Amino acid sequence: MYLKLIAIIFEKILSQKTINSLVEFAKLNCAETYVFSVIEKRIIDNIIQQNGRKREAIQEEQVGKRWFEAYEIEEIFKSKGLFINLSVAEIETDDDLAGIINKTKGDLLILCEPDETEIKNIIKLFPSLDMPVLLFH
């Protein structure tokens, strides 16, 4: 049984199936759940290159989107009688992500719909993680 779950959401809107799986897993384990929606610096850099907008404007827009999506997930948790801790973080390096994960001191890390690059980056962190990793795809 896991008492403290850490769920990482990467640059996407999660499918209802993934959200339901996360809710059910938290409910089955009666677990305290921390959801981090991460914004990777490389994504912001790509947007800047594509449209030439200022970094601050793009960062603000991306943070707003992540919070909106996080609040939608929170409402689903609340409707099931569950509480979650939400956070949005911009990360530049794998160490930034490792810091978030290790500081939270969870029992299980859940990766929510990561793409191939995100999976490769997380695999690099395995030696520094002190918990099992579960993939919701």
mmCIF file of all heavy atoms in Angstrom, residues 89-129:
data_model
loop_
_atom_site.group_PDB
_atom_site.id
_atom_site.type_symbol
_atom_site.label_atom_id
_atom_site.label_comp_id
_atom_site.label_asym_id
_atom_site.label_seq_id
_atom_site.Cartn_x
_atom_site.Cartn_y
_atom_site.Cartn_z
ATOM 1 N N ALA A 89 5.149 23.651 -12.144
ATOM 2 C CA ALA A 89 6.562 24.017 -12.056
ATOM 3 C C ALA A 89 7.203 24.013 -13.432
ATOM 4 O O ALA A 89 6.953 23.118 -14.239
ATOM 5 C CB ALA A 89 7.295 23.035 -11.150
ATOM 6 N N GLU A 90 8.037 25.015 -13.678
ATOM 7 C CA GLU A 90 8.834 25.034 -14.897
ATOM 8 C C GLU A 90 10.167 24.368 -14.576
ATOM 9 O O GLU A 90 10.794 24.677 -13.560
ATOM 10 C CB GLU A 90 9.065 26.460 -15.381
ATOM 11 C CG GLU A 90 9.799 26.517 -16.699
ATOM 12 C CD GLU A 90 9.978 27.920 -17.235
ATOM 13 O OE1 GLU A 90 9.212 28.811 -16.862
ATOM 14 O OE2 GLU A 90 10.909 28.110 -18.034
ATOM 15 N N ILE A 91 10.558 23.434 -15.415
ATOM 16 C CA ILE A 91 11.824 22.738 -15.188
ATOM 17 C C ILE A 91 12.753 22.962 -16.369
ATOM 18 O O ILE A 91 12.319 23.008 -17.516
ATOM 19 C CB ILE A 91 11.613 21.228 -14.937
ATOM 20 C CG1 ILE A 91 10.899 20.559 -16.102
ATOM 21 C CG2 ILE A 91 10.863 20.998 -13.638
ATOM 22 C CD1 ILE A 91 10.852 19.055 -16.015
ATOM 23 N N GLU A 92 14.041 23.122 -16.056
ATOM 24 C CA GLU A 92 15.046 23.297 -17.100
ATOM 25 C C GLU A 92 15.878 22.044 -17.284
ATOM 26 O O GLU A 92 16.309 21.741 -18.386
ATOM 27 C CB GLU A 92 15.964 24.470 -16.751
ATOM 28 C CG GLU A 92 15.298 25.817 -16.903
ATOM 29 C CD GLU A 92 16.298 26.955 -16.778
ATOM 30 O OE1 GLU A 92 17.420 26.822 -17.307
ATOM 31 O OE2 GLU A 92 15.942 27.953 -16.166
ATOM 32 N N THR A 93 16.115 21.325 -16.187
ATOM 33 C CA THR A 93 17.009 20.170 -16.250
ATOM 34 C C THR A 93 16.360 18.972 -15.557
ATOM 35 O O THR A 93 15.376 19.110 -14.829
ATOM 36 C CB THR A 93 18.339 20.468 -15.534
ATOM 37 O OG1 THR A 93 18.082 20.647 -14.137
ATOM 38 C CG2 THR A 93 19.014 21.708 -16.100
ATOM 39 N N ASP A 94 16.964 17.822 -15.761
ATOM 40 C CA ASP A 94 16.518 16.623 -15.066
ATOM 41 C C ASP A 94 16.663 16.799 -13.555
ATOM 42 O O ASP A 94 15.870 16.274 -12.787
ATOM 43 C CB ASP A 94 17.320 15.403 -15.522
ATOM 44 C CG ASP A 94 17.096 15.074 -16.988
ATOM 45 O OD1 ASP A 94 16.051 15.497 -17.544
ATOM 46 O OD2 ASP A 94 17.951 14.406 -17.579
ATOM 47 N N ASP A 95 17.679 17.549 -13.137
ATOM 48 C CA ASP A 95 17.887 17.784 -11.710
ATOM 49 C C ASP A 95 16.716 18.557 -11.102
ATOM 50 O O ASP A 95 16.371 18.338 -9.935
ATOM 51 C CB ASP A 95 19.189 18.553 -11.462
ATOM 52 C CG ASP A 95 20.422 17.700 -11.723
ATOM 53 O OD1 ASP A 95 20.305 16.451 -11.706
ATOM 54 O OD2 ASP A 95 21.499 18.275 -11.951
ATOM 55 N N ASP A 96 16.117 19.473 -11.865
ATOM 56 C CA ASP A 96 14.949 20.205 -11.371
ATOM 57 C C ASP A 96 13.807 19.243 -11.075
ATOM 58 O O ASP A 96 13.156 19.331 -10.035
ATOM 59 C CB ASP A 96 14.468 21.243 -12.393
ATOM 60 C CG ASP A 96 15.450 22.378 -12.605
ATOM 61 O OD1 ASP A 96 16.315 22.604 -11.737
ATOM 62 O OD2 ASP A 96 15.351 23.044 -13.656
ATOM 63 N N LEU A 97 13.574 18.317 -11.983
ATOM 64 C CA LEU A 97 12.513 17.334 -11.794
ATOM 65 C C LEU A 97 12.841 16.408 -10.628
ATOM 66 O O LEU A 97 11.982 16.128 -9.783
ATOM 67 C CB LEU A 97 12.287 16.527 -13.070
ATOM 68 C CG LEU A 97 11.138 15.538 -13.054
ATOM 69 C CD1 LEU A 97 9.815 16.224 -12.699
ATOM 70 C CD2 LEU A 97 11.020 14.827 -14.389
ATOM 71 N N ALA A 98 14.090 15.963 -10.543
ATOM 72 C CA ALA A 98 14.514 15.106 -9.424
ATOM 73 C C ALA A 98 14.326 15.826 -8.097
ATOM 74 O O ALA A 98 13.896 15.224 -7.104
ATOM 75 C CB ALA A 98 15.965 14.677 -9.598
ATOM 76 N N GLY A 99 14.616 17.114 -8.067
ATOM 77 C CA GLY A 99 14.447 17.894 -6.843
ATOM 78 C C GLY A 99 12.997 17.928 -6.387
ATOM 79 O O GLY A 99 12.704 17.772 -5.198
ATOM 80 N N ILE A 100 12.085 18.132 -7.336
ATOM 81 C CA ILE A 100 10.655 18.146 -7.013
ATOM 82 C C ILE A 100 10.231 16.794 -6.457
ATOM 83 O O ILE A 100 9.552 16.703 -5.433
ATOM 84 C CB ILE A 100 9.821 18.486 -8.274
ATOM 85 C CG1 ILE A 100 10.028 19.945 -8.674
ATOM 86 C CG2 ILE A 100 8.343 18.192 -8.050
ATOM 87 C CD1 ILE A 100 9.466 20.281 -10.054
ATOM 88 N N ILE A 101 10.651 15.740 -7.115
ATOM 89 C CA ILE A 101 10.261 14.391 -6.714
ATOM 90 C C ILE A 101 10.835 14.048 -5.339
ATOM 91 O O ILE A 101 10.109 13.593 -4.445
ATOM 92 C CB ILE A 101 10.716 13.360 -7.776
ATOM 93 C CG1 ILE A 101 9.949 13.585 -9.078
ATOM 94 C CG2 ILE A 101 10.534 11.936 -7.264
ATOM 95 C CD1 ILE A 101 10.533 12.864 -10.281
ATOM 96 N N ASN A 102 12.134 14.273 -5.154
ATOM 97 C CA ASN A 102 12.785 13.897 -3.898
ATOM 98 C C ASN A 102 12.342 14.751 -2.721
ATOM 99 O O ASN A 102 12.243 14.265 -1.594
ATOM 100 C CB ASN A 102 14.302 13.908 -4.059
ATOM 101 C CG ASN A 102 14.783 12.786 -4.959
ATOM 102 O OD1 ASN A 102 14.209 11.699 -4.971
ATOM 103 N ND2 ASN A 102 15.810 13.042 -5.746
ATOM 104 N N LYS A 103 12.060 16.031 -2.980
ATOM 105 C CA LYS A 103 11.605 16.914 -1.903
ATOM 106 C C LYS A 103 10.237 16.488 -1.370
ATOM 107 O O LYS A 103 9.954 16.622 -0.183
ATOM 108 C CB LYS A 103 11.544 18.361 -2.423
ATOM 109 C CG LYS A 103 11.207 19.391 -1.357
ATOM 110 C CD LYS A 103 11.313 20.797 -1.907
ATOM 111 C CE LYS A 103 10.023 21.125 -2.601
ATOM 112 N NZ LYS A 103 9.933 22.492 -3.088
ATOM 113 N N THR A 104 9.417 15.933 -2.223
ATOM 114 C CA THR A 104 8.067 15.529 -1.833
ATOM 115 C C THR A 104 8.071 14.227 -1.033
ATOM 116 O O THR A 104 7.146 13.958 -0.279
ATOM 117 C CB THR A 104 7.166 15.398 -3.077
ATOM 118 O OG1 THR A 104 7.284 16.603 -3.839
ATOM 119 C CG2 THR A 104 5.719 15.206 -2.715
ATOM 120 N N LYS A 105 9.112 13.428 -1.180
ATOM 121 C CA LYS A 105 9.288 12.190 -0.407
ATOM 122 C C LYS A 105 8.082 11.252 -0.491
ATOM 123 O O LYS A 105 7.504 10.864 0.513
ATOM 124 C CB LYS A 105 9.604 12.500 1.052
ATOM 125 C CG LYS A 105 10.872 13.292 1.267
ATOM 126 C CD LYS A 105 11.149 13.472 2.730
ATOM 127 C CE LYS A 105 12.214 14.408 3.079
ATOM 128 N NZ LYS A 105 13.441 14.508 2.625
ATOM 129 N N GLY A 106 7.733 10.891 -1.704
ATOM 130 C CA GLY A 106 6.600 9.998 -1.905
ATOM 131 C C GLY A 106 6.964 8.531 -1.815
ATOM 132 O O GLY A 106 8.141 8.166 -1.718
ATOM 133 N N ASP A 107 5.946 7.694 -1.849
ATOM 134 C CA ASP A 107 6.123 6.239 -1.846
ATOM 135 C C ASP A 107 6.092 5.667 -3.257
ATOM 136 O O ASP A 107 6.573 4.564 -3.492
ATOM 137 C CB ASP A 107 4.995 5.558 -1.060
ATOM 138 C CG ASP A 107 4.955 5.988 0.383
ATOM 139 O OD1 ASP A 107 6.025 6.073 1.011
ATOM 140 O OD2 ASP A 107 3.847 6.244 0.887
ATOM 141 N N LEU A 108 5.470 6.407 -4.184
ATOM 142 C CA LEU A 108 5.324 5.933 -5.555
ATOM 143 C C LEU A 108 5.274 7.133 -6.487
ATOM 144 O O LEU A 108 4.573 8.109 -6.228
ATOM 145 C CB LEU A 108 4.023 5.119 -5.707
ATOM 146 C CG LEU A 108 3.707 4.602 -7.107
ATOM 147 C CD1 LEU A 108 4.692 3.510 -7.516
ATOM 148 C CD2 LEU A 108 2.282 4.067 -7.166
ATOM 149 N N LEU A 109 6.023 7.038 -7.579
ATOM 150 C CA LEU A 109 6.011 8.066 -8.612
ATOM 151 C C LEU A 109 5.158 7.563 -9.766
ATOM 152 O O LEU A 109 5.390 6.473 -10.291
ATOM 153 C CB LEU A 109 7.435 8.349 -9.106
ATOM 154 C CG LEU A 109 7.580 9.326 -10.266
ATOM 155 C CD1 LEU A 109 7.061 10.700 -9.883
ATOM 156 C CD2 LEU A 109 9.026 9.392 -10.719
ATOM 157 N N ILE A 110 4.162 8.352 -10.150
ATOM 158 C CA ILE A 110 3.294 8.007 -11.274
ATOM 159 C C ILE A 110 3.553 9.003 -12.401
ATOM 160 O O ILE A 110 3.424 10.212 -12.203
ATOM 161 C CB ILE A 110 1.808 8.041 -10.871
ATOM 162 C CG1 ILE A 110 1.548 7.062 -9.734
ATOM 163 C CG2 ILE A 110 0.923 7.731 -12.078
ATOM 164 C CD1 ILE A 110 0.162 7.164 -9.137
ATOM 165 N N LEU A 111 3.923 8.486 -13.558
ATOM 166 C CA LEU A 111 4.135 9.320 -14.732
ATOM 167 C C LEU A 111 2.884 9.247 -15.585
ATOM 168 O O LEU A 111 2.485 8.164 -16.016
ATOM 169 C CB LEU A 111 5.348 8.828 -15.521
ATOM 170 C CG LEU A 111 6.659 8.733 -14.743
ATOM 171 C CD1 LEU A 111 7.751 8.176 -15.632
ATOM 172 C CD2 LEU A 111 7.048 10.085 -14.183
ATOM 173 N N CYS A 112 2.274 10.377 -15.817
ATOM 174 C CA CYS A 112 0.997 10.430 -16.538
ATOM 175 C C CYS A 112 1.218 10.764 -18.007
ATOM 176 O O CYS A 112 1.546 11.895 -18.356
ATOM 177 C CB CYS A 112 0.073 11.456 -15.895
ATOM 178 S SG CYS A 112 -0.334 11.066 -14.185
ATOM 179 N N GLU A 113 1.054 9.757 -18.857
ATOM 180 C CA GLU A 113 1.140 9.880 -20.310
ATOM 181 C C GLU A 113 2.421 10.553 -20.809
ATOM 182 O O GLU A 113 2.366 11.459 -21.643
ATOM 183 C CB GLU A 113 -0.094 10.612 -20.846
ATOM 184 C CG GLU A 113 -1.390 9.920 -20.528
ATOM 185 C CD GLU A 113 -2.619 10.636 -21.062
ATOM 186 O OE1 GLU A 113 -2.487 11.562 -21.885
ATOM 187 O OE2 GLU A 113 -3.726 10.252 -20.664
ATOM 188 N N PRO A 114 3.573 10.082 -20.348
ATOM 189 C CA PRO A 114 4.817 10.693 -20.852
ATOM 190 C C PRO A 114 5.093 10.265 -22.287
ATOM 191 O O PRO A 114 4.711 9.174 -22.707
ATOM 192 C CB PRO A 114 5.885 10.117 -19.904
ATOM 193 C CG PRO A 114 5.329 8.798 -19.494
ATOM 194 C CD PRO A 114 3.832 9.009 -19.411
ATOM 195 N N ASP A 115 5.778 11.151 -23.032
ATOM 196 C CA ASP A 115 6.203 10.758 -24.367
ATOM 197 C C ASP A 115 7.581 10.086 -24.267
ATOM 198 O O ASP A 115 8.128 9.944 -23.165
ATOM 199 C CB ASP A 115 6.212 11.947 -25.334
ATOM 200 C CG ASP A 115 7.214 13.042 -24.983
ATOM 201 O OD1 ASP A 115 8.221 12.757 -24.290
ATOM 202 O OD2 ASP A 115 7.007 14.183 -25.414
ATOM 203 N N GLU A 116 8.126 9.690 -25.375
ATOM 204 C CA GLU A 116 9.384 8.950 -25.388
ATOM 205 C C GLU A 116 10.532 9.739 -24.754
ATOM 206 O O GLU A 116 11.323 9.194 -23.988
ATOM 207 C CB GLU A 116 9.723 8.575 -26.829
ATOM 208 C CG GLU A 116 10.811 7.534 -26.948
ATOM 209 C CD GLU A 116 11.004 7.077 -28.389
ATOM 210 O OE1 GLU A 116 10.009 6.845 -29.087
ATOM 211 O OE2 GLU A 116 12.178 6.952 -28.788
ATOM 212 N N THR A 117 10.629 11.023 -25.062
ATOM 213 C CA THR A 117 11.689 11.863 -24.500
ATOM 214 C C THR A 117 11.542 11.978 -22.990
ATOM 215 O O THR A 117 12.531 11.888 -22.253
ATOM 216 C CB THR A 117 11.651 13.277 -25.134
ATOM 217 O OG1 THR A 117 11.821 13.148 -26.542
ATOM 218 C CG2 THR A 117 12.736 14.175 -24.569
ATOM 219 N N GLU A 118 10.339 12.165 -22.526
ATOM 220 C CA GLU A 118 10.104 12.293 -21.083
ATOM 221 C C GLU A 118 10.446 10.995 -20.354
ATOM 222 O O GLU A 118 11.018 11.022 -19.264
ATOM 223 C CB GLU A 118 8.655 12.709 -20.837
ATOM 224 C CG GLU A 118 8.374 14.102 -21.347
ATOM 225 C CD GLU A 118 6.918 14.398 -21.692
ATOM 226 O OE1 GLU A 118 6.098 13.459 -21.749
ATOM 227 O OE2 GLU A 118 6.613 15.575 -21.925
ATOM 228 N N ILE A 119 10.120 9.864 -20.966
ATOM 229 C CA ILE A 119 10.470 8.572 -20.363
ATOM 230 C C ILE A 119 11.992 8.428 -20.278
ATOM 231 O O ILE A 119 12.532 8.037 -19.242
ATOM 232 C CB ILE A 119 9.851 7.399 -21.161
ATOM 233 C CG1 ILE A 119 8.322 7.391 -20.964
ATOM 234 C CG2 ILE A 119 10.445 6.069 -20.712
ATOM 235 C CD1 ILE A 119 7.590 6.411 -21.854
ATOM 236 N N LYS A 120 12.702 8.782 -21.345
ATOM 237 C CA LYS A 120 14.166 8.703 -21.337
ATOM 238 C C LYS A 120 14.761 9.590 -20.244
ATOM 239 O O LYS A 120 15.714 9.203 -19.563
ATOM 240 C CB LYS A 120 14.734 9.092 -22.702
ATOM 241 C CG LYS A 120 14.524 8.045 -23.768
ATOM 242 C CD LYS A 120 15.058 8.503 -25.111
ATOM 243 C CE LYS A 120 14.765 7.468 -26.181
ATOM 244 N NZ LYS A 120 15.192 7.911 -27.515
ATOM 245 N N ASN A 121 14.194 10.783 -20.074
ATOM 246 C CA ASN A 121 14.691 11.691 -19.029
ATOM 247 C C ASN A 121 14.446 11.130 -17.636
ATOM 248 O O ASN A 121 15.297 11.252 -16.756
ATOM 249 C CB ASN A 121 14.059 13.075 -19.173
ATOM 250 C CG ASN A 121 14.558 13.809 -20.400
ATOM 251 O OD1 ASN A 121 15.612 13.483 -20.953
ATOM 252 N ND2 ASN A 121 13.805 14.784 -20.848
ATOM 253 N N ILE A 122 13.302 10.520 -17.427
ATOM 254 C CA ILE A 122 12.997 9.930 -16.119
ATOM 255 C C ILE A 122 13.909 8.736 -15.852
ATOM 256 O O ILE A 122 14.384 8.551 -14.723
ATOM 257 C CB ILE A 122 11.515 9.508 -16.027
ATOM 258 C CG1 ILE A 122 10.616 10.742 -15.962
ATOM 259 C CG2 ILE A 122 11.269 8.611 -14.840
ATOM 260 C CD1 ILE A 122 10.650 11.506 -14.667
ATOM 261 N N ILE A 123 14.178 7.931 -16.864
ATOM 262 C CA ILE A 123 15.063 6.769 -16.679
ATOM 263 C C ILE A 123 16.432 7.222 -16.176
ATOM 264 O O ILE A 123 17.036 6.567 -15.328
ATOM 265 C CB ILE A 123 15.163 5.944 -17.983
ATOM 266 C CG1 ILE A 123 13.839 5.211 -18.219
ATOM 267 C CG2 ILE A 123 16.330 4.964 -17.940
ATOM 268 C CD1 ILE A 123 13.727 4.514 -19.563
ATOM 269 N N LYS A 124 16.914 8.373 -16.658
ATOM 270 C CA LYS A 124 18.190 8.909 -16.175
ATOM 271 C C LYS A 124 18.149 9.189 -14.674
ATOM 272 O O LYS A 124 19.176 9.180 -14.004
ATOM 273 C CB LYS A 124 18.538 10.204 -16.908
ATOM 274 C CG LYS A 124 18.878 10.044 -18.360
ATOM 275 C CD LYS A 124 19.170 11.416 -18.953
ATOM 276 C CE LYS A 124 19.012 11.435 -20.448
ATOM 277 N NZ LYS A 124 19.091 12.799 -20.988
ATOM 278 N N LEU A 125 16.951 9.462 -14.142
ATOM 279 C CA LEU A 125 16.811 9.797 -12.730
ATOM 280 C C LEU A 125 16.695 8.573 -11.823
ATOM 281 O O LEU A 125 16.765 8.701 -10.607
ATOM 282 C CB LEU A 125 15.564 10.670 -12.517
ATOM 283 C CG LEU A 125 15.511 11.997 -13.243
ATOM 284 C CD1 LEU A 125 14.201 12.708 -12.941
ATOM 285 C CD2 LEU A 125 16.690 12.873 -12.862
ATOM 286 N N PHE A 126 16.493 7.401 -12.400
ATOM 287 C CA PHE A 126 16.266 6.194 -11.595
ATOM 288 C C PHE A 126 17.278 6.010 -10.460
ATOM 289 O O PHE A 126 16.882 5.687 -9.346
ATOM 290 C CB PHE A 126 16.221 4.944 -12.469
ATOM 291 C CG PHE A 126 14.892 4.714 -13.149
ATOM 292 C CD1 PHE A 126 13.843 5.619 -13.042
ATOM 293 C CD2 PHE A 126 14.688 3.583 -13.907
ATOM 294 C CE1 PHE A 126 12.622 5.408 -13.680
ATOM 295 C CE2 PHE A 126 13.473 3.345 -14.543
ATOM 296 C CZ PHE A 126 12.443 4.260 -14.421
ATOM 297 N N PRO A 127 18.582 6.209 -10.698
ATOM 298 C CA PRO A 127 19.525 6.004 -9.590
ATOM 299 C C PRO A 127 19.280 6.927 -8.382
ATOM 300 O O PRO A 127 19.580 6.558 -7.255
ATOM 301 C CB PRO A 127 20.892 6.293 -10.214
ATOM 302 C CG PRO A 127 20.700 6.078 -11.675
ATOM 303 C CD PRO A 127 19.273 6.477 -11.958
ATOM 304 N N SER A 128 18.705 8.104 -8.642
ATOM 305 C CA SER A 128 18.488 9.039 -7.530
ATOM 306 C C SER A 128 17.085 8.936 -6.932
ATOM 307 O O SER A 128 16.783 9.598 -5.942
ATOM 308 C CB SER A 128 18.741 10.478 -7.994
ATOM 309 O OG SER A 128 17.750 10.878 -8.924
ATOM 310 N N LEU A 129 16.223 8.101 -7.514
ATOM 311 C CA LEU A 129 14.865 7.951 -6.992
ATOM 312 C C LEU A 129 14.830 6.829 -5.963
ATOM 313 O O LEU A 129 15.397 5.766 -6.175
ATOM 314 C CB LEU A 129 13.877 7.641 -8.119
ATOM 315 C CG LEU A 129 13.703 8.711 -9.187
ATOM 316 C CD1 LEU A 129 12.730 8.219 -10.254
ATOM 317 C CD2 LEU A 129 13.228 10.015 -8.587
#
